[in-house]
Amino acid sequence: YDFYYQTPRLWLFGYDEQGNPLNKDAMFEDIMSDYANKTVTLETHPHQDINCISIHPCKHATVMKKIIDTIAENGGKADIHQAMFVFLKFIASVVPTIEYDYTVDMDLEQHLSLIHI
């Protein structure tokens, strides 16, 4: 969370197939070129002593509002409990190689009754 912009902030760090940390160039391969070294930069993580890709939070609120407005314009409704999914949709536009499971419409009680402990 970024306290200055009061919005979520994402820090990314990657490893190759052998488990070795990716260098800067390799990490930027998955970033849309329009955002590389502009909105997405390499910075030291605030709680770890490692360089990570960071998506700068200055436009997060504006972009998320646009996504919510688009959902509404198309007849949908974005409830507050879906905020994380809206945020992940935004992140997917910057880092298209990250795959998410956007399944959100489930009756949790019904599914829990199917689990035998």
Side-chain angles (χ1 to χ4, degrees):
Y1 190 81
D2 189 281
F3 289 101
Y4 182 82
Y5 291 101
Q6 297 185 1
T7 186
R9 185 163 189 174
L10 188 65
W11 299 87
L12 300 171
F13 187 80
Y15 297 90
D16 65 16
E17 293 82 13
Q18 288 76 40
N20 301 313
L22 295 177
N23 63 30
K24 176 186 175 184
D25 293 333
M27 284 194 279
F28 272 96
E29 286 178 8
D30 290 330
I31 305 298
M32 295 286 291
S33 61
D34 291 348
Y35 302 108
N37 295 308
K38 298 171 194 156
T39 305
V40 179
T41 57
L42 190 69
E43 300 180 41
T44 303
H45 190 279
H47 304 291
Q48 305 289 326
D49 190 26
I50 57 173
N51 286 329
C52 296
I53 295 243
S54 173
I55 300 172
H56 197 273
C58 64
K59 302 279 187 201
H60 284 15
T62 305
V63 173
M64 288 180 64
K65 174 80 168 100
K66 277 185 182 178
I67 294 171
I68 290 168
D69 289 345
T70 302
I71 291 169
E73 289 169 8
N74 291 317
K77 182 180 176 196
D79 294 322
I80 191 70
H81 69 278
Q82 296 172 317
M84 183 58 75
F85 295 102
V86 172
F87 181 70
L88 291 175
K89 284 277 192 189
F90 161 60
I91 298 304
S93 71
V94 177
V95 189
T97 56
I98 295 178
E99 295 181 20
Y100 305 102
D101 179 357
Y102 290 109
T103 307
V104 294
D105 57 343
M106 67 164 48
D107 178 358
L108 189 56
E109 288 183 31
Q110 178 183 355
H111 291 283
L112 288 176
S113 68
L114 300 174
I115 300 173
H116 301 285
I117 299 176

